[in-house]
Amino acid sequence: MKYLDEFSDPQLAGKLIEEIKAVTTRRWSIMEVCGGQTHSIIRHGIDQLLPDEIEMIHGPGCPVCVTPLEIIDKAMEIASRPGVIFCSFGDMLRVPGSDKDLFRVKSEGGDVRVVYSPLDALTIARDNPDRQVVFFGIGFETTAPANAMTVYQAKRLGVENFSLLVSHVLVPPAIAAIMESPTCRVQAFLAAGHVCSVMGTEEYPSLCEKYEIPIVVTGFEPLDILEGIRRTVLQLESGRHELENAYPRAVRAEGNAAARRMLTDVFEVTDRGWRGIGTIPDSGWQLSPGYRDYDAEHRFAVTGIHTAESAVCRSGEVLQGLIKPHECAAFGTLCTPRNPLGATMVSSEGACAAYYLYRRLEVSHA
């Protein structure tokens, strides 16, 4: 299959690995931003094939993982109310809140529904004018355009019983926050290709310059990631710190102009909390004044809910690249995909889930 088989060719992968080994003379720490990249790296054993001098640090780029606990609790509160139909993608239903998840709310009588598009939720709202329908809008810049379009359509069509519980976060401020942390070990980044396909790459050169780090935009297949690593190591070895686009089949410098216009219309930048990390200034979106009536937090008056993170779960340290998942004492014992303590274990893109699925036996023998 195009872009799957041809970007998983083991012979080409071997050549890229040999090229990486040939140019590596020092120890380097590279963070892949996206959880999808993390899963590809662990699934295909890319980190184990690289020279020992190169460490891959798993970043915070899993949208489910970085959704703060208090937003999950707000979702539970809204979904539990009579007359509400709460719609979400399936990956959010098992993410634990303070004392339960959306599956538990559903089992207790809440009308919680899995949808495959926010527009499905809008259709449900139009079909149920006597009910309040809420869509759980989380994620990075990749999922935001569809959510923005849905709110735009709701306003255009006059669907007043639809609202959005928003928890959108942005990649560039997260990179800045990681680099400014006193515990930062990151020397370069693999940027997420799908984010850049929407937003373009114009925000990254200034980050390269300010923090003197290479940033290479790459995709998600094994050869995409290896080529991104190869380009990153070449920059590190030569002392350069530039933006490179190693994913030109999907990413253009200007991004998707139509999607960006829609985002600018519907959303505005705000401070946003990240699970396990804390609040990062100007790192998220909220509905702009023209669409504020569709904000579920205000409609259901849950803005006052604030929740403390679990003291046992170390997902915040995993998200910041400070520890690997198996270095958490709860990994694979108290915390498993069936009984997760944190979102990094339950999410399909979470680093803990990747280690549990692909490395659990190996880690247990270590």
Side-chain angles (χ1 to χ4, degrees), residues 1-9 221 249:
M1 185 181 296
K2 191 172 180 62
Y3 299 143
L4 292 179
D5 293 342
E6 66 182 294
F7 282 88
S8 302
D9 187 302
E221 299 303 318
R249 69 179 186 274

Side-chain angles (χ1 to χ4, degrees), residues 66-134:
V66 301
T67 301
L69 188 59
E70 67 180 50
I71 291 289
I72 306 296
D73 284 350
K74 290 173 182 179
M76 308 297 171
E77 169 63 25
I78 294 170
S80 299
R81 295 191 183 183
V84 170
I85 301 174
F86 194 89
C87 299
S88 172
F89 294 142
D91 56 1
M92 291 303 299
L93 267 64
R94 293 189 60 248
V95 178
S98 294
D99 56 5
K100 56 185 173 182
D101 57 26
L102 284 169
F103 266 130
R104 175 67 64 84
V105 172
K106 183 176 178 67
S107 72
E108 293 173 349
D111 193 344
V112 178
R113 305 186 189 184
V114 174
V115 294
Y116 298 95
S117 163
L119 289 169
D120 293 341
L122 182 59
T123 298
I124 292 171
R126 297 183 72 185
D127 292 342
N128 295 270
D130 58 332
R131 307 276 299 277
Q132 287 291 324
V133 177
V134 182

